[in-house]
Amino acid sequence: MFSVRPILLLYVGCSLSFPLTSINKRDVPDFVRQYAPVAYLCSTEIYFPSDIGAQIAHTHPEDASGATITPPAALTLSNLDSLNAFADSGTNVYLTSNEGIQALPSWFRGTRPQSDGSTPSTVASAIVTVSKPNDIVDAFYFYFYAYNQGNWVLGSPALEFGDHVGDWEHTMVRFVSGAPTAVYYSQHSGGEAFTYATTEKGPDGVRPVVYVANGTHANYATVGPHDHTIPNLNTEAGPLTDHTDKGPFWDPLVSAYLYSYDNSTGVFAAYNGVDPTAWLGFAGRWGDNELPDSTPGQIDVFGEKKYVAGPTGPRDKSLGRRAVCPDGDSCDVKSSLAP
């Protein structure tokens, strides 16, 4: 089990305030905590934030053929990268759910945040800071869910695509000389970015708000419907729509692993010298492989499938990006929240 290190916060219902001087800093820059996003899950969400380490306990590694991989020792967050010795340097390793994706076991549902936004005994987030030239620090706030339920195309449950075990999402706040300048919101294969000044702020008036889409956990800056048929283009209507509202409040900062990342060496380091780091180097997938078309219940419509492969982890989320958006992504930093 993983202990949750308390952070001294004062909550009143869903309101939030805290003096930065009362926080156990663990050497992470103050501004990384001060401007850490807060989240609102959808009111109809059933797949909540999940413990990162528990994902290992409920899965076993397989290669792309479905053959079980036997690691040299029982897997933990402290040795998960040992799987990189198998199956194409780990890139074809899948942390496969013991029950199978179609069983929808109870652990897929994660931990519903309490009224103060905490998830006791569940570490479902990790913060990674990356220092860059020109006094830039990018702080990546990663969020983990044991299961991703895909969208219904045109609102039809018979056309549900994109279900997968394991789900990594993130927001990134870019700081210049310690001041927040922009916020990036991950959304499926793309995302959106806004100036920090443009974003909605949480109850303290400082921390950016993230609205988490029902099932898919894509991150948005506003409530309401969000069609994502075209990557990086957010409209209010369309055939493939995420839904957000001001449901359960979640503060990922309350229990999070904190790391720095050296872009020149590819090395992660825990700020407290204790949080496990090996899992961040795992090159494989955090869920089952895509189910074959012959599997009962699998849907394949023009290459779009119901049950798809789980995602890779934080190391593959363009940590060394030059712009606010990932390298190769055409999204712009917007100064308006309008669709």
Side-chain angles (χ1 to χ4, degrees):
M1 299 296 293
F2 298 91
S3 60
V4 176
R5 294 160 302 284
I7 295 173
L8 299 179
L9 303 178
L10 175 63
Y11 289 90
V12 181
C14 283
S15 63
L16 168 66
S17 63
F18 55 87
L20 291 178
T21 55
S22 70
I23 293 177
N24 176 19
K25 299 177 184 177
R26 295 194 288 172
D27 297 325
V28 69
D30 282 344
F31 54 79
V32 172
R33 292 184 181 277
Q34 182 178 5
Y35 297 100
V38 295
Y40 288 97
L41 302 164
C42 193
S43 58
T44 53
E45 184 62 76
I46 61 173
Y47 298 110
F48 294 105
S50 304
D51 189 84
I52 301 167
Q55 194 78 359
I56 300 173
H58 288 293
T59 61
H60 62 277
E62 294 183 355
D63 64 20
S65 72
T68 297
I69 294 171
T70 303
L75 294 172
T76 68
L77 291 179
S78 296
N79 68 359
L80 190 64
D81 61 349
S82 66
L83 293 175
N84 292 351
F86 303 88
D88 300 320
S89 299
T91 57
N92 277 319
V93 175
Y94 298 82
L95 298 182
T96 305
S97 56
N98 294 332
E99 303 88 344
I101 185 172
Q102 292 176 307
L104 296 178
S106 59
W107 61 270
F108 279 5
R109 298 198 171 215
T111 301
R112 182 187 179 97
Q114 296 188 348
S115 60
D116 63 2
S118 65
T119 54
S121 301
T122 296
V123 181
S125 61
I127 301 170
V128 179
T129 64
V130 188
S131 296
K132 299 177 180 178
N134 302 315
D135 206 16
I136 290 174
V137 173
D138 285 343
F140 291 80
Y141 302 86
F142 287 101
Y143 318 120
F144 184 70
Y145 308 84
Y147 185 70
N148 176 100
Q149 182 179 22
N151 287 126
W152 293 356
V153 178
L154 297 174
S156 172
L159 295 175
E160 181 176 295
F161 295 103
D163 295 2
H164 56 82
V165 178
D167 192 15
W168 281 106
E169 300 290 346
H170 72 277
T171 51
M172 187 272 279
V173 180
R174 170 155 290 187
F175 298 93
V176 179
S177 300
T181 61
V183 184
Y184 175 81
Y185 298 74
S186 72
Q187 301 160 358
H188 306 284
S189 60
E192 290 183 287
F194 301 89
T195 64
Y196 166 77
T198 299
T199 62
E200 180 182 342
K201 307 305 187 293
D204 67 348
V206 172
R207 299 171 65 182
V209 168
V210 177
Y211 291 102
V212 181
N214 183 58
T216 70
H217 308 125
N219 297 308
Y220 293 95
T222 58
V223 296
H226 306 272
D227 179 71
H228 59 91
T229 305
I230 302 174
N232 307 322
L233 182 63
N234 177 17
T235 60
E236 292 183 333
L240 202 59
T241 303
D242 276 328
H243 297 276
T244 63
D245 62 26
K246 208 165 191 175
F249 173 75
W250 179 35
D251 186 354
L253 180 63
V254 176
S255 57
Y257 296 129
L258 283 86
Y259 305 97
S260 62
Y261 175 74
D262 188 325
N263 191 50
S264 63
T265 63
V267 172
F268 293 91
Y271 272 102
N272 64 355
V274 175
D275 291 343
T277 57
W279 66 273
L280 289 160
F282 172 53
R285 303 275 187 154
W286 284 76
D288 302 33
N289 197 1
E290 181 178 288
L291 291 183
D293 288 351
S294 59
T295 305
Q298 176 67 297
I299 300 172
D300 185 345
V301 179
F302 301 115
E304 297 296 325
K305 301 188 179 186
K306 179 173 183 178
Y307 299 109
V308 300
T312 55
R315 70 172 232 166
D316 290 330
K317 303 303 186 258
S318 193
L319 298 179
R321 66 186 67 175
R322 291 163 293 180
V324 174
C325 301
D327 292 343
D329 197 325
S330 61
C331 79
D332 298 316
V333 179
K334 304 173 185 176
S335 58
S336 170
L337 294 177

